[in-house]
Amino acid sequence: MPHSMTGFATADVLVPPFRLVWEVRSVNHRFLDLSFRLPEELRGIEPACREQAASVLRRGKVDCSLRAVAAAEGAEPVAVDQQTLAALHALESAVRATFPDARPLSVAEILRWPGVLQESGRALAHLAAPAEQAFRSALDALVAARRSEGERTAEALRERCAAIRDLVDRLRPLVDGVQARFRDKLEERLRRLEVQVQPERLEQELALLAQRVDVAEELQRLAGHVAEVESVLERAEPVGRRLDFLVQELNREANTLASKAQEEQLTRAAVELKVLIEQMREQVQNLE
């Protein structure tokens, strides 16, 4: 089942005195583009997290942010380094002296400042492993969200494919008689104008015009592309680029059909066809 490239997921883990909270969101992108926002103390886990993400995602712009917030009641108390706190206060005062409208630091921002909380090296090191495990949980939730969105997108694409197939089936009887109708119209026009045309010349012109209005080949290719789209949707692999190519081919055949259409019914059908294909193009842009 295709996966969407759009999704959002969260995961958190309690590591007293902190609660580590991951937020992972992804949107459309031609390739896999990963970005991480991490507390300075946990920068070391970024390579491992990137490797985890690349193992399950193929495309999309993925933003991953980790926040360390104060844990709930019952967490182990921690001490504040007064010297670091005073230095931070001096820095803030210096900034506000130049920029009086600057927003004051929040308590959470102060507590996250490196060195404000007197944590031992062992305690800080213990944050890394839980943070990586929580990221895996967030990643699993993101994959599930993208899969669910992909299922809905695939169903919408199948509905458009069915509509295109029905449209092609309705057009085939019209196409079978289009050349004969065009011949009758031309002969009727010549009779009204009282124009005498040599039979050989008339047959040559009719043969040339028949080639211009014959859309049977376009209908056949449209049906083939629709069948290929439905087949690709069943693959257990990233299919977005393949589907994007097929939609371009569908659009090309629809444009050719529209340019050849010489009857109102065919013209209306070509417009309806292009609307369906444009809807498919918008949906395919979301698939991995």
PDB file of all heavy atoms in Angstrom, residues 127-150:
ATOM      1  N   LEU A 127      20.148  10.533  29.451  1.00  0.00           N
ATOM      2  CA  LEU A 127      19.070  11.058  28.630  1.00  0.00           C
ATOM      3  C   LEU A 127      19.154  10.554  27.183  1.00  0.00           C
ATOM      4  O   LEU A 127      18.142  10.495  26.485  1.00  0.00           O
ATOM      5  CB  LEU A 127      19.116  12.589  28.619  1.00  0.00           C
ATOM      6  CG  LEU A 127      18.797  13.309  29.927  1.00  0.00           C
ATOM      7  CD1 LEU A 127      18.993  14.799  29.753  1.00  0.00           C
ATOM      8  CD2 LEU A 127      17.375  13.006  30.377  1.00  0.00           C
ATOM      9  N   ALA A 128      20.343  10.194  26.736  1.00  0.00           N
ATOM     10  CA  ALA A 128      20.531   9.867  25.323  1.00  0.00           C
ATOM     11  C   ALA A 128      19.758   8.612  24.916  1.00  0.00           C
ATOM     12  O   ALA A 128      19.017   8.621  23.934  1.00  0.00           O
ATOM     13  CB  ALA A 128      22.020   9.697  25.021  1.00  0.00           C
ATOM     14  N   ALA A 129      19.922   7.528  25.655  1.00  0.00           N
ATOM     15  CA  ALA A 129      19.271   6.266  25.285  1.00  0.00           C
ATOM     16  C   ALA A 129      17.745   6.381  25.314  1.00  0.00           C
ATOM     17  O   ALA A 129      17.075   5.969  24.354  1.00  0.00           O
ATOM     18  CB  ALA A 129      19.754   5.139  26.191  1.00  0.00           C
ATOM     19  N   PRO A 130      17.138   6.952  26.377  1.00  0.00           N
ATOM     20  CA  PRO A 130      15.680   7.115  26.347  1.00  0.00           C
ATOM     21  C   PRO A 130      15.208   8.019  25.214  1.00  0.00           C
ATOM     22  O   PRO A 130      14.140   7.785  24.639  1.00  0.00           O
ATOM     23  CB  PRO A 130      15.365   7.743  27.713  1.00  0.00           C
ATOM     24  CG  PRO A 130      16.505   7.360  28.582  1.00  0.00           C
ATOM     25  CD  PRO A 130      17.702   7.333  27.694  1.00  0.00           C
ATOM     26  N   ALA A 131      16.005   9.037  24.897  1.00  0.00           N
ATOM     27  CA  ALA A 131      15.621   9.936  23.805  1.00  0.00           C
ATOM     28  C   ALA A 131      15.601   9.184  22.485  1.00  0.00           C
ATOM     29  O   ALA A 131      14.689   9.367  21.662  1.00  0.00           O
ATOM     30  CB  ALA A 131      16.574  11.119  23.734  1.00  0.00           C
ATOM     31  N   GLU A 132      16.576   8.316  22.247  1.00  0.00           N
ATOM     32  CA  GLU A 132      16.602   7.524  21.008  1.00  0.00           C
ATOM     33  C   GLU A 132      15.429   6.560  20.952  1.00  0.00           C
ATOM     34  O   GLU A 132      14.803   6.371  19.893  1.00  0.00           O
ATOM     35  CB  GLU A 132      17.921   6.763  20.906  1.00  0.00           C
ATOM     36  CG  GLU A 132      19.113   7.619  20.539  1.00  0.00           C
ATOM     37  CD  GLU A 132      20.351   6.780  20.258  1.00  0.00           C
ATOM     38  OE1 GLU A 132      20.204   5.693  19.645  1.00  0.00           O
ATOM     39  OE2 GLU A 132      21.448   7.180  20.675  1.00  0.00           O
ATOM     40  N   GLN A 133      15.110   5.926  22.088  1.00  0.00           N
ATOM     41  CA  GLN A 133      13.973   5.002  22.114  1.00  0.00           C
ATOM     42  C   GLN A 133      12.662   5.734  21.849  1.00  0.00           C
ATOM     43  O   GLN A 133      11.787   5.234  21.118  1.00  0.00           O
ATOM     44  CB  GLN A 133      13.922   4.291  23.463  1.00  0.00           C
ATOM     45  CG  GLN A 133      15.105   3.355  23.707  1.00  0.00           C
ATOM     46  CD  GLN A 133      15.116   2.789  25.114  1.00  0.00           C
ATOM     47  OE1 GLN A 133      14.232   3.083  25.915  1.00  0.00           O
ATOM     48  NE2 GLN A 133      16.118   1.994  25.431  1.00  0.00           N
ATOM     49  N   ALA A 134      12.520   6.926  22.442  1.00  0.00           N
ATOM     50  CA  ALA A 134      11.303   7.706  22.218  1.00  0.00           C
ATOM     51  C   ALA A 134      11.204   8.145  20.761  1.00  0.00           C
ATOM     52  O   ALA A 134      10.112   8.196  20.192  1.00  0.00           O
ATOM     53  CB  ALA A 134      11.285   8.928  23.137  1.00  0.00           C
ATOM     54  N   PHE A 135      12.351   8.448  20.154  1.00  0.00           N
ATOM     55  CA  PHE A 135      12.322   8.827  18.737  1.00  0.00           C
ATOM     56  C   PHE A 135      11.840   7.666  17.890  1.00  0.00           C
ATOM     57  O   PHE A 135      11.092   7.854  16.919  1.00  0.00           O
ATOM     58  CB  PHE A 135      13.707   9.282  18.279  1.00  0.00           C
ATOM     59  CG  PHE A 135      13.746   9.670  16.821  1.00  0.00           C
ATOM     60  CD1 PHE A 135      13.104  10.813  16.387  1.00  0.00           C
ATOM     61  CD2 PHE A 135      14.423   8.885  15.897  1.00  0.00           C
ATOM     62  CE1 PHE A 135      13.122  11.183  15.045  1.00  0.00           C
ATOM     63  CE2 PHE A 135      14.451   9.243  14.555  1.00  0.00           C
ATOM     64  CZ  PHE A 135      13.795  10.397  14.133  1.00  0.00           C
ATOM     65  N   ARG A 136      12.266   6.451  18.237  1.00  0.00           N
ATOM     66  CA  ARG A 136      11.795   5.287  17.487  1.00  0.00           C
ATOM     67  C   ARG A 136      10.282   5.168  17.581  1.00  0.00           C
ATOM     68  O   ARG A 136       9.594   4.844  16.597  1.00  0.00           O
ATOM     69  CB  ARG A 136      12.460   4.014  18.032  1.00  0.00           C
ATOM     70  CG  ARG A 136      12.107   2.764  17.266  1.00  0.00           C
ATOM     71  CD  ARG A 136      12.774   2.757  15.910  1.00  0.00           C
ATOM     72  NE  ARG A 136      11.913   2.228  14.869  1.00  0.00           N
ATOM     73  CZ  ARG A 136      12.330   1.915  13.646  1.00  0.00           C
ATOM     74  NH1 ARG A 136      13.591   2.085  13.333  1.00  0.00           N
ATOM     75  NH2 ARG A 136      11.497   1.473  12.759  1.00  0.00           N
ATOM     76  N   SER A 137       9.732   5.421  18.764  1.00  0.00           N
ATOM     77  CA  SER A 137       8.274   5.378  18.930  1.00  0.00           C
ATOM     78  C   SER A 137       7.590   6.448  18.086  1.00  0.00           C
ATOM     79  O   SER A 137       6.570   6.194  17.440  1.00  0.00           O
ATOM     80  CB  SER A 137       7.909   5.558  20.408  1.00  0.00           C
ATOM     81  OG  SER A 137       8.442   4.518  21.200  1.00  0.00           O
ATOM     82  N   ALA A 138       8.165   7.668  18.086  1.00  0.00           N
ATOM     83  CA  ALA A 138       7.596   8.741  17.273  1.00  0.00           C
ATOM     84  C   ALA A 138       7.675   8.394  15.797  1.00  0.00           C
ATOM     85  O   ALA A 138       6.743   8.665  15.026  1.00  0.00           O
ATOM     86  CB  ALA A 138       8.334  10.051  17.560  1.00  0.00           C
ATOM     87  N   LEU A 139       8.783   7.769  15.398  1.00  0.00           N
ATOM     88  CA  LEU A 139       8.972   7.390  13.996  1.00  0.00           C
ATOM     89  C   LEU A 139       7.952   6.325  13.587  1.00  0.00           C
ATOM     90  O   LEU A 139       7.372   6.390  12.492  1.00  0.00           O
ATOM     91  CB  LEU A 139      10.392   6.883  13.803  1.00  0.00           C
ATOM     92  CG  LEU A 139      10.998   6.919  12.403  1.00  0.00           C
ATOM     93  CD1 LEU A 139      10.931   8.321  11.821  1.00  0.00           C
ATOM     94  CD2 LEU A 139      12.436   6.425  12.455  1.00  0.00           C
ATOM     95  N   ASP A 140       7.730   5.345  14.463  1.00  0.00           N
ATOM     96  CA  ASP A 140       6.728   4.308  14.168  1.00  0.00           C
ATOM     97  C   ASP A 140       5.332   4.930  14.015  1.00  0.00           C
ATOM     98  O   ASP A 140       4.562   4.536  13.136  1.00  0.00           O
ATOM     99  CB  ASP A 140       6.709   3.263  15.275  1.00  0.00           C
ATOM    100  CG  ASP A 140       7.966   2.398  15.281  1.00  0.00           C
ATOM    101  OD1 ASP A 140       8.676   2.388  14.257  1.00  0.00           O
ATOM    102  OD2 ASP A 140       8.242   1.754  16.310  1.00  0.00           O
ATOM    103  N   ALA A 141       5.027   5.892  14.889  1.00  0.00           N
ATOM    104  CA  ALA A 141       3.723   6.551  14.803  1.00  0.00           C
ATOM    105  C   ALA A 141       3.615   7.367  13.515  1.00  0.00           C
ATOM    106  O   ALA A 141       2.540   7.424  12.890  1.00  0.00           O
ATOM    107  CB  ALA A 141       3.506   7.454  16.022  1.00  0.00           C
ATOM    108  N   LEU A 142       4.710   8.004  13.097  1.00  0.00           N
ATOM    109  CA  LEU A 142       4.696   8.764  11.854  1.00  0.00           C
ATOM    110  C   LEU A 142       4.477   7.842  10.663  1.00  0.00           C
ATOM    111  O   LEU A 142       3.695   8.154   9.753  1.00  0.00           O
ATOM    112  CB  LEU A 142       6.007   9.533  11.690  1.00  0.00           C
ATOM    113  CG  LEU A 142       6.134  10.337  10.392  1.00  0.00           C
ATOM    114  CD1 LEU A 142       5.142  11.498  10.381  1.00  0.00           C
ATOM    115  CD2 LEU A 142       7.562  10.859  10.208  1.00  0.00           C
ATOM    116  N   VAL A 143       5.164   6.704  10.648  1.00  0.00           N
ATOM    117  CA  VAL A 143       4.997   5.741   9.545  1.00  0.00           C
ATOM    118  C   VAL A 143       3.549   5.264   9.481  1.00  0.00           C
ATOM    119  O   VAL A 143       2.961   5.150   8.394  1.00  0.00           O
ATOM    120  CB  VAL A 143       5.959   4.554   9.722  1.00  0.00           C
ATOM    121  CG1 VAL A 143       5.625   3.435   8.737  1.00  0.00           C
ATOM    122  CG2 VAL A 143       7.405   5.013   9.516  1.00  0.00           C
ATOM    123  N   ALA A 144       2.949   5.002  10.648  1.00  0.00           N
ATOM    124  CA  ALA A 144       1.552   4.563  10.680  1.00  0.00           C
ATOM    125  C   ALA A 144       0.627   5.657  10.149  1.00  0.00           C
ATOM    126  O   ALA A 144      -0.326   5.373   9.405  1.00  0.00           O
ATOM    127  CB  ALA A 144       1.158   4.175  12.100  1.00  0.00           C
ATOM    128  N   ALA A 145       0.907   6.912  10.513  1.00  0.00           N
ATOM    129  CA  ALA A 145       0.081   8.022  10.036  1.00  0.00           C
ATOM    130  C   ALA A 145       0.215   8.183   8.527  1.00  0.00           C
ATOM    131  O   ALA A 145      -0.769   8.407   7.817  1.00  0.00           O
ATOM    132  CB  ALA A 145       0.478   9.314  10.750  1.00  0.00           C
ATOM    133  N   ARG A 146       1.446   8.058   8.019  1.00  0.00           N
ATOM    134  CA  ARG A 146       1.670   8.174   6.575  1.00  0.00           C
ATOM    135  C   ARG A 146       1.031   7.002   5.822  1.00  0.00           C
ATOM    136  O   ARG A 146       0.523   7.175   4.710  1.00  0.00           O
ATOM    137  CB  ARG A 146       3.174   8.247   6.293  1.00  0.00           C
ATOM    138  CG  ARG A 146       3.774   9.601   6.645  1.00  0.00           C
ATOM    139  CD  ARG A 146       5.294   9.604   6.722  1.00  0.00           C
ATOM    140  NE  ARG A 146       5.964   9.077   5.562  1.00  0.00           N
ATOM    141  CZ  ARG A 146       6.888   9.742   4.840  1.00  0.00           C
ATOM    142  NH1 ARG A 146       7.198  11.004   5.157  1.00  0.00           N
ATOM    143  NH2 ARG A 146       7.479   9.173   3.830  1.00  0.00           N
ATOM    144  N   ARG A 147       1.043   5.817   6.440  1.00  0.00           N
ATOM    145  CA  ARG A 147       0.407   4.669   5.800  1.00  0.00           C
ATOM    146  C   ARG A 147      -1.107   4.871   5.720  1.00  0.00           C
ATOM    147  O   ARG A 147      -1.733   4.601   4.686  1.00  0.00           O
ATOM    148  CB  ARG A 147       0.707   3.388   6.580  1.00  0.00           C
ATOM    149  CG  ARG A 147       0.113   2.135   5.947  1.00  0.00           C
ATOM    150  CD  ARG A 147       0.259   0.923   6.846  1.00  0.00           C
ATOM    151  NE  ARG A 147       1.642   0.683   7.217  1.00  0.00           N
ATOM    152  CZ  ARG A 147       2.127   0.789   8.443  1.00  0.00           C
ATOM    153  NH1 ARG A 147       1.315   1.120   9.446  1.00  0.00           N
ATOM    154  NH2 ARG A 147       3.395   0.560   8.699  1.00  0.00           N
ATOM    155  N   SER A 148      -1.708   5.360   6.808  1.00  0.00           N
ATOM    156  CA  SER A 148      -3.143   5.586   6.823  1.00  0.00           C
ATOM    157  C   SER A 148      -3.541   6.631   5.786  1.00  0.00           C
ATOM    158  O   SER A 148      -4.528   6.453   5.054  1.00  0.00           O
ATOM    159  CB  SER A 148      -3.577   6.040   8.223  1.00  0.00           C
ATOM    160  OG  SER A 148      -4.949   6.320   8.269  1.00  0.00           O
ATOM    161  N   GLU A 149      -2.775   7.714   5.713  1.00  0.00           N
ATOM    162  CA  GLU A 149      -3.061   8.747   4.713  1.00  0.00           C
ATOM    163  C   GLU A 149      -2.846   8.202   3.309  1.00  0.00           C
ATOM    164  O   GLU A 149      -3.596   8.531   2.376  1.00  0.00           O
ATOM    165  CB  GLU A 149      -2.159   9.963   4.961  1.00  0.00           C
ATOM    166  CG  GLU A 149      -2.342  11.103   3.980  1.00  0.00           C
ATOM    167  CD  GLU A 149      -3.703  11.755   4.082  1.00  0.00           C
ATOM    168  OE1 GLU A 149      -4.353  11.623   5.146  1.00  0.00           O
ATOM    169  OE2 GLU A 149      -4.125  12.388   3.095  1.00  0.00           O
ATOM    170  N   GLY A 150      -1.828   7.349   3.141  1.00  0.00           N
ATOM    171  CA  GLY A 150      -1.572   6.742   1.836  1.00  0.00           C
ATOM    172  C   GLY A 150      -2.717   5.844   1.392  1.00  0.00           C
ATOM    173  O   GLY A 150      -3.057   5.803   0.202  1.00  0.00           O
TER     174      GLY A 150
END
